[in-house]
Each structure stands twice: as C-alpha cells, then as structure tokens.
Short mmCIF file of all heavy atoms in Angstrom, two decimals:
data_model
loop_
_atom_site.label_atom_id
_atom_site.label_comp_id
_atom_site.label_asym_id
_atom_site.label_seq_id
_atom_site.Cartn_x
_atom_site.Cartn_y
_atom_site.Cartn_z
N ARG A 28 92.30 93.48 79.03
CA ARG A 28 91.44 94.61 79.55
C ARG A 28 89.96 94.26 79.38
O ARG A 28 89.19 94.50 80.24
CB ARG A 28 91.77 95.92 78.85
CG ARG A 28 93.07 96.56 79.33
CD ARG A 28 93.32 97.82 78.60
NE ARG A 28 92.36 98.89 78.98
CZ ARG A 28 92.69 100.02 79.60
NH1 ARG A 28 93.94 100.26 79.85
NH2 ARG A 28 91.78 100.90 79.87
N GLN A 29 89.61 93.75 78.19
CA GLN A 29 88.21 93.38 77.92
C GLN A 29 87.77 92.27 78.86
O GLN A 29 86.67 92.26 79.39
CB GLN A 29 88.00 93.01 76.50
CG GLN A 29 86.54 92.89 76.11
CD GLN A 29 85.80 94.22 76.30
OE1 GLN A 29 86.23 95.28 75.82
NE2 GLN A 29 84.70 94.20 77.01
N ALA A 30 88.62 91.31 79.12
CA ALA A 30 88.26 90.20 80.03
C ALA A 30 88.04 90.75 81.44
O ALA A 30 87.17 90.25 82.16
CB ALA A 30 89.36 89.12 80.01
N VAL A 31 88.80 91.76 81.85
CA VAL A 31 88.60 92.38 83.15
C VAL A 31 87.23 93.04 83.16
O VAL A 31 86.42 92.86 84.04
CB VAL A 31 89.70 93.38 83.51
CG1 VAL A 31 89.31 94.22 84.71
CG2 VAL A 31 91.01 92.68 83.74
N ARG A 32 87.00 93.86 82.11
CA ARG A 32 85.69 94.59 82.04
C ARG A 32 84.51 93.61 82.06
O ARG A 32 83.49 93.85 82.71
CB ARG A 32 85.60 95.38 80.70
CG ARG A 32 86.42 96.63 80.70
CD ARG A 32 86.10 97.38 79.38
NE ARG A 32 87.27 98.16 79.04
CZ ARG A 32 88.17 97.89 78.07
NH1 ARG A 32 88.00 96.78 77.34
NH2 ARG A 32 89.18 98.65 77.86
N ASP A 33 84.62 92.48 81.33
CA ASP A 33 83.58 91.51 81.21
C ASP A 33 83.51 90.56 82.41
O ASP A 33 82.54 89.77 82.50
CB ASP A 33 83.75 90.64 79.96
CG ASP A 33 83.59 91.44 78.69
OD1 ASP A 33 83.04 92.58 78.70
OD2 ASP A 33 84.07 90.94 77.65
N ARG A 34 84.53 90.63 83.27
CA ARG A 34 84.63 89.65 84.38
C ARG A 34 84.54 88.22 83.81
O ARG A 34 83.84 87.35 84.29
CB ARG A 34 83.59 89.87 85.48
CG ARG A 34 83.56 91.25 86.12
CD ARG A 34 84.91 91.74 86.60
NE ARG A 34 84.81 92.83 87.53
CZ ARG A 34 84.92 94.13 87.20
NH1 ARG A 34 85.17 94.50 85.98
NH2 ARG A 34 84.82 95.05 88.16
N ASP A 35 85.29 88.04 82.71
CA ASP A 35 85.40 86.75 82.05
C ASP A 35 86.46 85.90 82.78
O ASP A 35 87.62 85.96 82.47
CB ASP A 35 85.78 86.95 80.56
CG ASP A 35 85.96 85.68 79.82
OD1 ASP A 35 85.77 84.57 80.43
OD2 ASP A 35 86.30 85.74 78.61
N TRP A 36 86.03 85.22 83.86
CA TRP A 36 86.93 84.53 84.74
C TRP A 36 87.81 83.51 84.03
O TRP A 36 89.03 83.49 84.27
CB TRP A 36 86.15 83.97 85.90
CG TRP A 36 85.28 84.94 86.60
CD1 TRP A 36 83.93 84.95 86.57
CD2 TRP A 36 85.70 86.13 87.28
NE1 TRP A 36 83.44 86.05 87.25
CE2 TRP A 36 84.49 86.79 87.70
CE3 TRP A 36 86.90 86.66 87.62
CZ2 TRP A 36 84.53 87.97 88.42
CZ3 TRP A 36 86.97 87.86 88.34
CH2 TRP A 36 85.77 88.51 88.73
N ASN A 37 87.25 82.70 83.22
CA ASN A 37 88.05 81.71 82.51
C ASN A 37 88.92 82.39 81.46
O ASN A 37 90.03 81.95 81.22
CB ASN A 37 87.14 80.63 81.85
CG ASN A 37 86.54 79.73 82.89
OD1 ASN A 37 87.15 79.34 83.87
ND2 ASN A 37 85.29 79.42 82.71
N GLY A 38 88.41 83.41 80.80
CA GLY A 38 89.19 84.15 79.86
C GLY A 38 90.39 84.78 80.47
O GLY A 38 91.51 84.82 79.86
N LEU A 39 90.29 85.28 81.69
CA LEU A 39 91.45 85.86 82.39
C LEU A 39 92.56 84.81 82.59
O LEU A 39 93.71 85.11 82.41
CB LEU A 39 90.98 86.44 83.79
CG LEU A 39 90.16 87.71 83.72
CD1 LEU A 39 89.53 87.98 85.08
CD2 LEU A 39 90.96 88.87 83.23
N LEU A 40 92.16 83.58 82.91
CA LEU A 40 93.18 82.55 83.10
C LEU A 40 93.79 82.22 81.72
O LEU A 40 95.02 81.99 81.65
CB LEU A 40 92.53 81.31 83.69
CG LEU A 40 91.94 81.45 85.10
CD1 LEU A 40 91.52 80.11 85.62
CD2 LEU A 40 92.89 82.21 86.06
N ALA A 41 93.00 82.12 80.71
CA ALA A 41 93.55 81.83 79.36
C ALA A 41 94.47 82.87 78.89
O ALA A 41 95.37 82.59 78.04
CB ALA A 41 92.35 81.65 78.36
N LEU A 42 94.36 84.10 79.35
CA LEU A 42 95.20 85.23 78.96
C LEU A 42 96.34 85.48 79.90
O LEU A 42 96.95 86.55 79.85
CB LEU A 42 94.31 86.49 78.85
CG LEU A 42 93.24 86.45 77.71
CD1 LEU A 42 92.29 87.60 77.87
CD2 LEU A 42 93.93 86.50 76.35
N GLY A 43 96.64 84.47 80.72
CA GLY A 43 97.80 84.57 81.56
C GLY A 43 97.55 84.90 83.05
O GLY A 43 98.47 85.07 83.83
N GLY A 44 96.28 84.98 83.37
CA GLY A 44 95.98 85.32 84.78
C GLY A 44 96.20 84.12 85.72
O GLY A 44 96.00 82.98 85.31
N ASN A 45 96.63 84.44 86.89
CA ASN A 45 96.79 83.40 87.93
C ASN A 45 95.56 83.43 88.81
O ASN A 45 95.10 84.45 89.20
CB ASN A 45 98.02 83.79 88.77
CG ASN A 45 98.29 82.83 89.94
OD1 ASN A 45 97.46 82.71 90.81
ND2 ASN A 45 99.41 82.19 89.87
N ILE A 46 94.99 82.25 89.02
CA ILE A 46 93.70 82.17 89.74
C ILE A 46 93.77 82.87 91.10
O ILE A 46 92.77 83.53 91.51
CB ILE A 46 93.25 80.72 89.90
CG1 ILE A 46 91.83 80.66 90.50
CG2 ILE A 46 94.22 79.90 90.73
CD1 ILE A 46 90.76 81.28 89.75
N TYR A 47 94.87 82.77 91.79
CA TYR A 47 94.96 83.43 93.09
C TYR A 47 95.00 84.96 92.97
O TYR A 47 94.51 85.65 93.89
CB TYR A 47 96.16 82.88 93.90
CG TYR A 47 95.99 81.44 94.14
CD1 TYR A 47 96.73 80.50 93.44
CD2 TYR A 47 95.02 80.93 94.99
CE1 TYR A 47 96.56 79.12 93.63
CE2 TYR A 47 94.82 79.58 95.19
CZ TYR A 47 95.57 78.68 94.53
OH TYR A 47 95.39 77.36 94.68
N TYR A 48 95.49 85.48 91.88
CA TYR A 48 95.48 86.93 91.71
C TYR A 48 94.14 87.37 91.15
O TYR A 48 93.60 88.39 91.59
CB TYR A 48 96.59 87.36 90.75
CG TYR A 48 97.96 87.20 91.31
CD1 TYR A 48 99.10 87.46 90.50
CD2 TYR A 48 98.20 86.78 92.61
CE1 TYR A 48 100.38 87.35 91.00
CE2 TYR A 48 99.50 86.61 93.12
CZ TYR A 48 100.59 86.91 92.31
OH TYR A 48 101.86 86.79 92.81
N THR A 49 93.60 86.61 90.14
CA THR A 49 92.32 87.05 89.59
C THR A 49 91.21 86.96 90.62
O THR A 49 90.21 87.68 90.53
CB THR A 49 91.96 86.23 88.33
OG1 THR A 49 91.96 84.82 88.62
CG2 THR A 49 92.97 86.51 87.21
N SER A 50 91.37 86.06 91.62
CA SER A 50 90.35 86.01 92.65
C SER A 50 90.26 87.30 93.46
O SER A 50 89.23 87.60 94.11
CB SER A 50 90.61 84.84 93.59
OG SER A 50 91.78 85.01 94.38
N LYS A 51 91.28 88.13 93.42
CA LYS A 51 91.20 89.46 94.07
C LYS A 51 90.17 90.35 93.37
O LYS A 51 89.51 91.14 94.07
CB LYS A 51 92.59 90.15 94.09
CG LYS A 51 93.72 89.42 94.72
CD LYS A 51 93.51 89.28 96.22
CE LYS A 51 94.71 88.61 96.87
NZ LYS A 51 94.37 87.97 98.05
N LEU A 52 90.13 90.22 92.09
CA LEU A 52 89.10 90.96 91.33
C LEU A 52 87.70 90.44 91.71
O LEU A 52 86.78 91.26 91.93
CB LEU A 52 89.36 90.87 89.83
CG LEU A 52 88.33 91.50 88.89
CD1 LEU A 52 88.19 93.01 89.14
CD2 LEU A 52 88.68 91.22 87.45
N ALA A 53 87.61 89.12 91.77
CA ALA A 53 86.30 88.57 92.18
C ALA A 53 85.91 88.99 93.57
O ALA A 53 84.78 89.39 93.82
CB ALA A 53 86.32 87.02 92.10
N ALA A 54 86.88 88.97 94.53
CA ALA A 54 86.57 89.40 95.85
C ALA A 54 86.13 90.86 95.88
O ALA A 54 85.21 91.22 96.68
CB ALA A 54 87.80 89.21 96.73
N ASN A 55 86.73 91.68 95.08
CA ASN A 55 86.36 93.08 94.96
C ASN A 55 84.83 93.20 94.59
O ASN A 55 84.13 94.09 95.03
CB ASN A 55 87.17 93.82 93.95
CG ASN A 55 86.83 95.26 93.80
OD1 ASN A 55 86.97 96.04 94.73
ND2 ASN A 55 86.27 95.62 92.65
#
C-alpha cells in the first residue's frame, strides 16, 4: 500500500508487482 502511495515503481516490483500491471497505475 505504501509503495502504491509513494509511486515507488521499483518497490512495487520487489513486492510482487508485475510490470505490465503496475504500468496501469503509471498510465493513470
């Protein structure tokens, strides 16, 4: 949740995020 709030892109991946899914947050 904190990585989402911070838009910590690399942190999201380290916490199990898939780049193609996390890119939806970036696109937003």
Side-chain angles (χ1 to χ4, degrees):
R28 285 179 69 117
Q29 192 60 52
V31 169
R32 285 186 207 104
D33 294 343
R34 302 309 198 263
D35 178 359
W36 308 112
N37 290 320
L39 289 167
L40 299 187
L42 294 167
N45 178 297
I46 185 62
Y47 298 106
Y48 292 175
T49 57
S50 69
K51 301 294 185 205
L52 176 59
N55 180 67

